[in-house]
Amino acid sequence: MKYKRILLKLSGEALMGDRQYGIDPVRLAEYAEEIKKIHDKGTEIAIVIGGGNIFRGVAGASNGMDRVQGDYMGMLATVINGMALQGALEDKGMLTRLQTALKIEAIAEPYIKRRAVRHLEKGRIVIFGAGTGNPYFTTDTAAVLRGVEIHADVILKGTRVDGVYDSDPEKNPDAVKFDFISFDDVISKGLNVMDSTAFTLSQENKLPIVIFDMNKQGNLLKICEGENIGTVVNI
């Protein structure tokens, strides 16, 4: 396997499947099956999930809600998604641990870096919930931060599109896809890979990002085996 330890970033919206909101159990089971394929090959897996399928702090703020309050609600939404994914993974026979940046000890361990790394070394899948534990930071930033802390080899960002394009492929049929691109080129071309805080953190720590279509069966395994799937953002 090309990568020994990965940080998989999933959006909350990805868990909706064809629904308008919430969690689609079919999509959840599909993701669990994809993750099992790389787990069975010995890859150490950490996961960060967004909460946009349940609540978005930015959306709440735009409707007059206090931004800090809204962001904390969004953090709790990521914990709900983490619990759902944890259940789906354990149904497939994998051992998991859910760690949260906010203390919710009845359902999850508090995030402790050394403990997280030990779980990974023992073959457990670690799901990080509640973002960074601070308002104004996205789950993209949380994913890169945790990836740096646990010394992940790569950030794998599963999305609905199969990589980074020079324009929106859902709006422009002539959009050109990049197989490889540097951090500097992403900035100079104004491409939207992650929010700027997450992207800068990844660049400064020389942590590569792979953007790929998580909904295409087998993609996750192919990336971990070294195939050129999606777009690789690197130095």
Side-chain angles (χ1 to χ4, degrees):
M1 302 292 276
K2 182 176 181 180
Y3 303 114
K4 179 175 174 14
R5 180 178 295 167
I6 67 159
L7 189 297
L8 176 62
K9 169 61 169 64
L10 300 173
S11 69
E13 287 89 340
L15 300 185
M16 292 190 299
D18 296 325
R19 299 185 176 200
Q20 297 297 311
Y21 60 88
I23 300 169
D24 179 2
V26 175
R27 175 58 54 80
L28 202 59
E30 289 172 353
Y31 280 3
E33 190 59 46
E34 292 300 298
I35 292 166
K36 187 176 190 303
K37 290 175 184 176
I38 63 169
H39 179 264
D40 289 348
K41 296 274 190 177
T43 303
E44 297 175 3
I45 308 161
I47 304 172
V48 170
I49 315 180
N53 56 322
I54 299 172
F55 189 83
R56 239 181 223 292
V58 175
S62 68
N63 292 323
M65 178 179 289
D66 177 69
R67 172 66 190 272
V68 173
Q69 189 83 339
D71 279 356
Y72 278 116
M73 291 171 68
M75 290 178 217
L76 296 178
T78 71
V79 176
I80 292 171
N81 284 340
M83 292 174 69
L85 182 60
Q86 182 179 38
L89 293 170
E90 290 182 346
D91 283 346
K92 301 286 185 183
M94 288 167 277
L95 297 175
T96 69
R97 290 293 186 273
L98 175 61
Q99 291 196 344
T100 56
L102 301 174
K103 287 189 177 181
I104 318 176
E105 292 172 356
I107 57 173
E109 296 178 357
Y111 170 68
I112 299 171
K113 180 246 184 186
R114 290 178 183 274
R115 184 179 290 176
V117 170
R118 188 70 181 128
H119 288 321
L120 293 169
E121 289 171 348
K122 289 184 174 181
R124 298 167 184 152
I125 296 173
V126 182
I127 303 166
F128 297 119
T132 66
N134 300 289
Y136 296 98
F137 290 95
T138 66
T139 50
D140 274 354
T141 300
V144 176
L145 177 62
R146 296 292 181 249
V148 171
E149 288 181 310
I150 66 170
H151 305 294
D153 299 319
V154 67
I155 302 289
L156 301 183
K157 184 174 180 181
T159 66
R160 296 180 301 175
V161 294
D162 61 346
V164 177
Y165 287 77
D166 61 354
S167 59
D168 189 343
E170 295 180 348
K171 296 177 182 176
N172 177 17
D174 297 321
V176 178
K177 175 176 171 283
F178 300 101
D179 292 329
F180 301 92
I181 191 168
S182 70
F183 285 104
D184 290 339
D185 282 345
V186 168
I187 294 169
S188 65
K189 295 177 187 298
L191 304 176
N192 186 23
V193 173
M194 283 182 161
D195 71 83
S196 57
T197 305
F199 190 77
T200 302
L201 186 61
S202 188
Q203 183 182 25
E204 288 177 348
N205 289 278
K206 299 180 174 60
L207 182 59
I209 306 167
V210 179
I211 294 90
F212 71 104
D213 182 357
M214 182 67 185
N215 296 332
K216 186 172 181 181
Q217 193 172 4
N219 267 359
L220 183 59
L221 177 61
K222 288 175 182 177
I223 290 170
C224 291
E225 288 179 333
E227 286 192 40
N228 295 328
I229 302 292
T231 299
V232 179
V233 185
N234 209 337
I235 298 297

